[in-house]
């Protein structure tokens, strides 16, 4: 079954969620890479958590938009995102909704913790594309494997 057919029954479309990720990307703190990433996570009750990447002069402690989202979501008492949209673009460009920004490996693992059935919405030249997180991170680490 294509991932899009697993989209939850909600008023928010994959395109809508991508638009919210883009809005968050505008708020990114990225003085070093100037690469803005935004994420938007959708929950069962229709609520959305937006997040962006936050860099630091000590480069290695930069936090990606997706993991920032995980921290915000848990802090707000939320645990089970149904879907996440991720969008990114360099400051000199304005093509967030056209170029893919797939989550890095660390973020895939961080997201997997909270819903192995999560859907991932990425931009493409042909519009929003929906993927399954478990297909983007096969054979992921778990303390309790099947
Ligand atoms: N970044 C994210 O926010 N998410 C990812 O999945 C990969 C990379 C950020 C980190 C850094 O601020 C910038 O993109 C360039 O690497």
């Amino acid at each position: 079954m294509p991932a899009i057919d697993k989209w939850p029954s909600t008023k928010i479309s994959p395109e809508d969620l991508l638009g919210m990720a883009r809005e968050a990307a505008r708020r990114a703190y990225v003085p070093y890479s100037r690469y803005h990433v935004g994420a938007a996570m959708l929950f069962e009750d229709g609520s959305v958590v937006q997040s962006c990447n936050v860099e630091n002069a000590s480069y290695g402690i930069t936090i990606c938009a997706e993991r920032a989202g995980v921290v915000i979501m848990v802090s707000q008492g939320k645990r089970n995102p149904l879907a996440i949209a991720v969008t990114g673009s360099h400051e000199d460009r304005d093509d967030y909704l056209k170029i893919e920004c797939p989550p890095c490996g660390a973020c895939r693992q961080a997201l997997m913790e909270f819903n192995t059935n999560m859907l991932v919405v990425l931009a493409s030249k042909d519009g929003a594309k929906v993927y399954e997180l478990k297909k983007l991170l096969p054979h992921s680490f778990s303390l309790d494997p099947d």
Side-chain angles (χ1 to χ4, degrees):
M1 188 198 283
I4 183 67
D5 294 343
K6 299 185 177 174
W7 191 256
S9 49
T10 157
K11 284 185 199 145
I12 297 172
S13 68
E15 289 76 15
D16 293 336
L17 203 61
L18 206 52
M20 292 183 222
R22 182 194 182 177
E23 185 183 78
R26 293 185 186 283
R27 298 191 285 264
Y29 176 74
V30 287
Y32 306 104
S33 74
R34 298 173 61 221
Y35 193 87
H36 291 238
V37 182
M41 282 187 283
L42 174 67
F43 296 84
E44 182 84 57
D45 62 0
S47 63
V48 172
V49 166
Q50 290 173 296
S51 56
C52 59
N53 51 335
V54 180
E55 298 188 343
N56 192 276
S58 175
Y59 299 165
I61 65 167
T62 288
I63 183 162
C64 292
E66 301 90 321
R67 273 177 293 153
V70 165
V71 172
I72 295 168
M73 145 197 124
V74 172
S75 304
Q76 292 184 354
K78 297 175 194 276
R79 284 287 166 91
N80 187 36
L82 302 179
I84 183 169
V86 185
T87 182
S89 183
H90 192 269
E91 221 155 75
D92 294 341
R93 302 170 56 150
D94 190 24
D95 49 6
Y96 292 97
L97 300 183
K98 296 198 188 92
I99 57 165
E100 256 200 344
C101 181
C104 74
C107 287
R108 293 178 198 200
Q109 177 71 33
L111 294 169
M112 202 70 178
E113 178 84 13
F114 291 97
N115 180 8
T116 54
N117 293 314
M118 203 183 308
L119 298 176
V120 179
V121 185
L122 301 179
S124 82
K125 287 194 189 81
D126 306 319
K129 288 226 168 116
V130 182
Y131 300 84
E132 287 179 79
L133 178 61
K134 60 185 165 210
K135 293 201 176 149
L136 298 182
L137 190 66
H139 214 72
S140 63
F141 177 74
S142 167
L143 289 173
D144 185 22
D146 299 328

